[in-house]
Amino acid sequence: METVVVAVGANLGDRLKTIQKAGKFIEKLSDGLVEKGSIWESEPVGPAKYTFLNTAVKFKISLSPAELLKELKSFEQQCGREENPERWGPRILDLDIIRYGNLVIQKESLIIPHSEYSRRLFVLLPMLQIDAGWCDPQLEMTIQAMIEKAPQIDIQKTELNW
């Protein structure tokens, strides 16, 4: 089993309900305790027009990275996500593998750690709550160090529960 962190985001439809559904899906998929970060609301990056709700979840899993990716992408589509949405465009649901243990994978279909997470406060802030001690094996940086270097955006912690 490996420790995994998945970022969860939504900016279309009932964002909270979608995140709650994603949480239940991940609980069923996991092999143990699921730790959930707070839900944060942030301005979109790129062409999306509506604010996002974002969070992160940490759990143990016995699926391979490729199997996990397949499960996450299948669930996104079940929730109504288009198969090839516009880059940084609006999303009903976005599930990204941020880390899988300390593996580094650089394939066309799968990049771990996720290629852009270290510049995204909407991933780093909830990740700090659930995985503060982790150090990125490529960047050799802690979550806190990445937060200090990340571009500032308009982001607020919410009181929403998932």
Side-chain angles (χ1 to χ4, degrees):
M1 277 195 294
E2 285 290 346
T3 299
V4 174
V5 172
V6 171
V8 182
N11 83 328
L12 294 176
D14 187 335
R15 300 171 303 162
L16 178 59
K17 184 176 178 181
T18 300
I19 287 174
Q20 290 169 336
K21 282 175 58 176
K24 289 177 184 165
F25 169 76
I26 288 169
E27 286 172 357
K28 290 178 186 173
L29 198 62
S30 74
D31 291 327
L33 179 66
V34 174
E35 295 178 62
K36 299 174 181 176
S38 296
I39 296 175
W40 298 74
E41 187 164 27
S42 68
E43 64 187 26
V45 173
K49 295 179 180 147
Y50 309 107
T51 60
F52 274 83
L53 290 182
N54 292 285
T55 189
V57 60
K58 177 179 160 182
F59 55 99
K60 300 256 187 208
I61 197 153
S62 55
L63 294 176
S64 72
E67 291 169 330
L68 175 58
L69 179 65
K70 183 179 177 184
E71 291 289 333
L72 295 176
K73 295 305 166 196
S74 175
F75 184 74
E76 285 177 344
Q77 289 179 352
Q78 288 173 32
C79 289
R81 179 173 169 164
E82 296 175 32
E83 194 165 333
N84 293 308
E86 175 184 15
R87 184 174 173 93
W88 299 322
R91 313 279 166 140
I92 286 177
L93 179 62
D94 194 20
L95 299 172
D96 291 324
I97 303 170
I98 304 303
R99 83 169 180 109
Y100 186 100
N102 283 320
L103 284 181
V104 175
I105 299 173
Q106 296 288 327
K107 296 181 180 178
E108 186 176 326
S109 61
L110 180 60
I111 297 173
I112 299 175
H114 189 277
S115 61
E116 298 179 14
Y117 88 97
S118 65
R119 296 183 302 277
R120 305 289 191 235
L121 287 177
F122 54 81
V123 174
L124 295 170
L125 291 171
M127 201 171 167
L128 181 65
Q129 297 174 303
I130 59 171
D131 207 23
W134 183 67
C135 183
D136 184 296
Q138 283 184 299
L139 301 175
E140 298 180 346
M141 293 175 70
T142 64
I143 302 299
Q144 184 62 48
M146 287 182 258
I147 288 170
E148 291 168 11
K149 289 188 169 218
Q152 295 301 302
I153 62 169
D154 184 15
I155 185 168
Q156 300 293 321
K157 183 177 172 185
T158 73
E159 297 301 319
L160 301 172
N161 293 312
W162 69 302

